[in-house]
Amino acid sequence: GTRWRWARPPAWVIGLMVYSLLMGGSIATVTSYLPLYAVEQLELAGWVGGAALSLFGLAGIVARMWWGRWTDRSPHVRPVLVWLAAGAAVSVMFLLLAAAVSAGLVWLAALGVGATAAAANAIVMVAVLRKGGTGHAAGIVSVGFFAGFVVGPATFGLIADANGYAAAWCLTATGFAAAAALPVLLRRQVAV
């Protein structure tokens, strides 16, 4: 048999892995803390927090289908990656506003993040395929996504405990915004 050895991934794989890390960490914070925030901070009923997360999930199902179809027709994946992350960053800001303006904004936030960020992992895999990636490339990019699940919620919790939900939601919005900027800044590396 052949010996397997680690080779440094190409720049485009690393770029998509970092994008996935930022998206995965930010998505994980929304799915972990949205219901808790709705109940603890906004003083909504427990079922409302759960229903808001269900709305996120429903929007995510539709988003994966819609954005996937959109990407099939688009010659470039990069703009879609930017739109998904930017839309999620804006949507998280509604969570910040919910405490000050109206608790009902939690619904808009759940819908917005579900309709954008929930599709990111699928669209990143389209980018991997378009770049001619193999299972190895897809695996590395997925490591980034799930590493975000490891880091995001724990970091959010520490910040929320120390400085409140507003600071933690700002971190989440910043994660999405950084993900939106990455394909623009790394235009050559994430040229899909």
Side-chain angles (χ1 to χ4, degrees), residues 4 6-18 20 121 124-146 189 192:
W4 183 82
W6 177 261
R8 183 168 188 252
W12 67 268
V13 172
I14 293 170
L16 289 173
M17 182 185 71
V18 173
S20 292
N121 195 37
V124 166
M125 289 306 148
V126 171
V128 169
L129 290 172
R130 286 205 183 164
K131 289 293 279 187
T134 63
H136 185 235
I140 291 170
V141 171
S142 290
V143 163
F145 186 73
F146 288 104
Q189 289 87 348
V192 285

Side-chain angles (χ1 to χ4, degrees), residues 21-109:
L21 172 75
L22 293 166
M23 292 300 285
S26 299
I27 291 167
T29 63
V30 172
T31 57
S32 297
Y33 290 97
L34 175 68
L36 189 61
Y37 176 69
V39 172
E40 275 188 358
Q41 189 73 32
L42 304 178
E43 299 178 351
L44 298 170
W47 73 267
V48 174
L53 191 58
S54 294
L55 178 62
F56 166 90
L58 277 172
I61 292 168
V62 173
R64 283 178 175 244
M65 301 302 292
W66 192 85
W67 285 108
R69 194 147 171 99
W70 176 279
T71 305
D72 279 346
R73 296 177 180 161
S74 174
H76 301 288
V77 178
R78 185 178 52 243
V80 179
L81 295 175
V82 173
W83 296 334
L84 293 175
V90 170
S91 297
V92 168
M93 298 311 289
F94 288 115
L95 289 172
L96 276 169
L97 291 173
V101 177
S102 168
L105 289 173
V106 75
W107 296 103
L108 193 55

